[in-house]
Amino acid sequence: MCHTVAVTRARWTTETEPLPPHALAWLSRRVGLGEPFEEVSVSAPESALSADAFTALEAVSAVSVEAADRLGRAGGLSYLDLLRRRGHGTLAVPDAVVQPATPEEVVEVLQVCVDYDVAVVPFGGGTSVVGGVEALRGDKSAVVALDLAGLGALVSVDPVSRVAVLQAGVTGPEAERLLGEHGFTLGHVPQSFERATIGGFAATRSAGQASSGYGRFEDMVESLRVATPVGEWVVGAAPASAAGPDLKQLVLGSEGLFGVITEVSVRVRPKPYGPRYEGFVVDGWPAGVDLVRTLAQDGVLADVTRLSDVDETEVALELAGSRAAALKKYLRFRGVKQPCLVILGWECRSRSATMSALSGRKVVRLGRAMGAAWLHGRFNGPRQRDALLDAGVCVETLETATHWSRVSEMRDAVRAALVAELGDPVVMCHVSHAYETGASLYFTVLVPRDLADPVGQWERAKVAASDAISRLGTITHHHAVGRDHLPWLEKEIGGIGVDVLRAVKAQLDPTGILNPGKLI
């Protein structure tokens, strides 16, 4: 049966949050604003999808070769992706967009693509910042973006077991709305929450801001329904099992290389009553790291536990607007010389246990207003990136995880690598997730954009920072491998590990149509 081809949507677009005047003034003083460059019109090349392949795809699913549809699924949301959309660098554009409406259609689409030697890039919210959804063709005749937005249903809810089945294309906000109608929450809120999807969370081993309470996404997954080029595969049958190695883990984090996730069965929890967020300040990064480590090892972390270093705290205080001067004066009065902001938020964990652990420590309490301000603005970063580009600023993020004994060494090494490559950038860092044995560090970099070579400016900095990261921890804590982190993967998992991944790939995708150029 022939399907409609109206799939027009620029899935990667987002509402731009303008920079307030005081933020622009701070940027000008602290970073220096670069000169806006002339944007170049970006157009889609002619589709390389053959007429026969188009006809075969059209027989099983919605498909479009319209330029607007293809450009709307060209890449993710990294700084380099944003530059490419402004005409700087090469933008990889898919030859078609296919939008199946059911899991069964996904299986059929993959079979057609095997038959016609067409590469397939699974596309959810398009929020990858590591090249994970870049439309690379590899050695195939063409490449299609498999947009999973049509798989947007809540399939079932088991209120007794507290398990729900969601289709892969459900976005974070929609998942919360659908589950909320049954009195439940998933509690998974990464910074990409507004656009990212359930399937993307699983495919990249996503970590939400409240993962200390709710768990990382892989901790929530009970089972997965996966379409592969050799047939449909369902993994996971019970809350726990000793039936051999846990094959769910082959799919979680596989970034669409082994199959296309179509449904995810997840653990859900009752909606929280009265979430509470508060701000605190400690004097100096070492004291902050020691505080968060103690909370983690004593089992009393808040659901959200976030420690900002001095540079990131400076930005947070400056962006507080009219309250900035009063806050700084108050902290000086309290004897704080190197303020480091701590945000703690409770939704399902005990606040009293955390607060008891804080007693007796040199911690300045800023109260609920600072916590509410962080909560209100926690998605502003992605929204403000276009505004920063317009102001001539290169803005990008990096993340990693390491053991507690190396946290400060990691922070210093990454900062040094970025400064060596970029001159005088602002490098902000925070602990985003804490564990008993270590923590994740998340870096944000601001520097005037190099007009002559904006792409090379960041590529060189990324390599230097990634080399530093790889020496001391994991190349990625939650952004995934994609294309950008591929050069450092073998050092982390070993040659045998790479061979294992290749063997799984060969078994599930023998002709290699799925997401070429990523992960392995």
Side-chain angles (χ1 to χ4, degrees):
M1 185 174 73
C2 195
H3 293 251
T4 166
V5 298
V7 294
T8 302
R9 270 187 308 167
R11 297 291 307 281
W12 46 263
T13 57
T14 182
E15 180 181 351
T16 297
E17 186 87 12
L19 293 170
H22 63 272
L24 278 171
W26 177 85
L27 274 171
S28 181
R29 293 192 309 270
R30 184 67 175 80
V31 184
L33 303 181
E35 293 293 328
F37 52 37
E38 181 182 355
E39 292 189 30
V40 179
S41 177
V42 178
S43 58
E46 184 177 350
S47 173
L49 188 69
S50 70
D52 287 346
F54 179 89
T55 299
L57 285 170
E58 191 181 34
V60 299
S61 188
V63 58
S64 171
V65 293
E66 294 297 320
D69 294 333
R70 294 160 55 209
L71 286 168
R73 282 80 171 178
L77 286 175
S78 71
Y79 171 67
L80 295 184
D81 287 325
L82 300 184
L83 285 182
R84 290 167 187 141
R85 292 199 187 96
R86 291 171 175 239
H88 297 266
T90 302
L91 183 67
V93 182
D95 296 297
V97 176
V98 182
Q99 195 174 86
T102 67
E104 291 80 10
E105 276 189 28
V106 177
V107 176
E108 293 182 83
V109 167
L110 295 186
Q111 189 56 61
V112 170
C113 290
V114 168
D115 292 343
Y116 289 90
D117 199 37
V118 173
V120 178
V121 178
F123 196 98
T127 61
S128 173
V129 292
V130 293
V133 294
E134 194 171 353
L136 302 181
R137 186 179 299 175
D139 62 355
K140 302 306 172 189
S141 63
V143 55
V144 302
L146 185 66
D147 189 331
L148 297 167
L151 275 64
L154 172 62
V155 178
S156 64
V157 176
D158 177 350
V160 176
S161 304
R162 293 185 179 176
V163 172
V165 179
L166 291 155
Q167 289 187 325
V170 177
T171 64
E174 183 66 0
E176 290 302 317
R177 186 190 69 79
L178 292 168
L179 292 171
E181 293 177 353
H182 298 268
F184 291 109
T185 181
L186 188 57
H188 188 72
V189 184
Q191 197 170 46
S192 61
F193 172 76
E194 295 176 301
R195 296 174 303 279
T197 61
I198 295 296
F201 293 154
T204 59
R205 299 177 71 94
S206 174
Q209 292 167 345
S211 64
S212 293
Y214 294 102
R216 291 169 58 97
F217 194 74
E218 68 257 33
D219 301 324
M220 304 174 179
V221 175
E222 294 285 304
S223 65
L224 296 150
R225 185 177 179 184
V226 187
T228 82
V230 295
E232 189 169 72
W233 186 27
V234 177
V235 288
S241 171
D246 186 357
L247 295 180
K248 290 200 304 283
Q249 299 304 322
L250 284 175
V251 179
L252 293 165
S254 62
E255 302 186 37
L257 267 78
F258 302 155
V260 180
I261 296 167
T262 57
E263 289 181 359
V264 185
S265 173
V266 289
R267 180 202 68 213
V268 295
R269 292 184 177 176
K271 292 182 69 174
Y273 175 76
R276 179 165 177 157
Y277 285 77
E278 296 184 33
F280 304 80
V281 165
V282 295
D283 193 1
W285 173 258
V289 171
D290 182 67
L291 172 65
V292 177
R293 178 185 60 80
T294 301
L295 294 177
Q297 292 178 342
D298 289 351
V300 291
L301 284 168
D303 297 307
V304 171
T305 303
R306 176 181 173 124
L307 164 69
S308 295
D309 70 359
V310 172
D311 292 280
E312 187 168 278
T313 300
E314 177 192 355
V315 175
L317 294 178
E318 287 291 341
L319 297 187
S322 59
R323 299 179 59 233
L327 280 169
K328 290 179 181 179
K329 183 177 180 180
Y330 174 67
L331 292 173
R332 286 195 298 269
F333 173 76
R334 295 294 301 270
V336 177
K337 297 178 180 179
Q338 292 186 308
C340 289
L341 179 65
V342 179
I343 296 294
L344 301 178
W346 298 270
E347 295 189 6
C348 62
R349 285 193 164 194
S350 167
R351 176 177 175 273
S352 61
T354 311
M355 295 302 293
S356 294
L358 295 181
S359 64
R361 286 183 168 268
K362 188 178 178 181
V363 178
V364 178
R365 186 172 172 182
L366 300 183
R368 299 179 71 171
M370 182 60 78
W374 176 83
L375 190 64
H376 176 74
R378 63 175 165 173
F379 301 129
N380 281 354
R383 296 172 183 166
Q384 291 176 337
R385 297 184 74 190
D386 280 312
L388 287 165
L389 260 68
D390 291 340
V393 176
C394 164
V395 52
E396 189 53 294
T397 60
L398 300 154
E399 49 78 38
T400 182
T402 192
H403 293 107
W404 286 116
S405 58
R406 287 182 159 184
V407 163
S408 291
E409 183 184 1
M410 173 74 84
R411 172 180 168 271
D412 293 345
V414 174
R415 175 186 294 276
L418 291 167
V419 168
E421 286 295 333
L422 297 173
D424 187 27
V426 172
V427 181
M428 298 172 277
C429 177
H430 66 260
V431 169
S432 61
H433 302 78
Y435 306 94
E436 186 175 356
T437 58
S440 168
L441 293 177
Y442 192 96
F443 298 86
T444 303
V445 186
L446 299 172
V447 70
R449 184 173 58 245
D450 183 342
L451 289 178
D453 185 17
V455 172
Q457 177 190 27
W458 178 249
E459 285 180 335
R460 291 186 293 273
K462 171 79 173 184
V463 168
S466 296
D467 283 343
I469 285 171
S470 184
R471 288 193 295 270
L472 296 168
T474 177
I475 192 61
T476 176
H477 171 264
H478 58 267
H479 281 171
V481 175
R483 185 185 187 188
D484 294 358
H485 292 149
L486 187 56
W488 295 273
L489 182 64
E490 183 169 349
K491 179 180 178 183
E492 182 162 334
I493 68 173
I496 293 175
V498 172
D499 289 342
V500 170
L501 294 180
R502 286 178 176 152
V504 176
K505 173 79 167 174
Q507 179 64 39
L508 297 174
D509 180 24
T511 65
I513 64 167
L514 290 173
N515 216 5
K518 323 297 168 45
L519 188 61
I520 52 175

